[in-house]
Amino acid sequence: MSVTVGEGFAVVPEPDGLPEPLPEPAVDELRLETVLGALSDPLRLFIVRKLLLERERFDHPCGWFGIDRPKSSLTHHFKALRAAGVIRQRQYGLERRSHVRVDDLDARFPGLLALVAAWESADG
């Protein structure tokens, strides 16, 4: 699988034979205030940044992120990112895997993902 680096983050091409994505807004329905609202939470910003900078495959299950939170809390955060149109999720049996909607977000909000990739937490 080839990985390209765009604006400081990895872009992994979509493999063949993926399950259909879970419901999400269409590209023309993406709204900046909704995307920024989803990214305003530090944990969600961490999730998106990790997907942009550290991804090894096309998509990842929530356990890959190494976040020590209850499953219900993580489900809430992933759902908020998907509802805002930041990530795309697919169901693989009992697990959901996520990836950032890079092409869609770049088309609507050029440079936004580069800012997310460049962000560094005040906590270190």
Side-chain angles (χ1 to χ4, degrees):
M1 177 176 300
S2 66
V3 176
T4 60
V5 178
E7 298 192 52
F9 51 87
V11 178
V12 179
E14 185 172 300
D16 294 330
L18 293 174
E20 287 297 312
L22 298 174
E24 63 186 28
V27 177
D28 62 342
E29 296 173 333
L30 296 177
R31 302 198 38 97
L32 183 59
E33 63 273 20
T34 306
V35 170
L36 291 176
L39 293 173
S40 69
D41 181 276
L43 180 60
R44 292 193 290 259
L45 188 56
F46 167 80
I47 289 168
V48 174
R49 188 168 187 269
K50 185 168 177 80
L51 279 171
L52 288 172
L53 298 177
E54 299 177 25
R55 60 198 277 172
E56 304 135 358
R57 297 188 319 257
F58 175 71
D59 54 11
H60 292 280
C62 65
W64 173 79
F65 295 89
I67 301 169
D68 186 23
R69 296 278 175 94
K71 185 175 180 179
S72 59
S73 173
L74 290 177
T75 299
H76 163 76
H77 288 292
F78 281 96
K79 183 178 179 181
L81 288 168
R82 180 171 43 90
V86 177
I87 64 170
R88 175 165 290 143
Q89 288 189 303
R90 289 183 164 85
Q91 192 78 33
Y92 293 80
L94 296 177
E95 76 180 5
R96 289 184 176 174
R97 296 183 186 174
S98 307
H99 70 272
V100 178
R101 294 175 60 182
V102 172
D103 292 340
D104 295 344
L105 290 167
D106 279 347
R108 289 284 288 158
F109 314 114
L112 177 63
L113 293 179
L115 291 172
V116 170
W119 169 78
E120 292 188 27
S121 169
D123 298 333

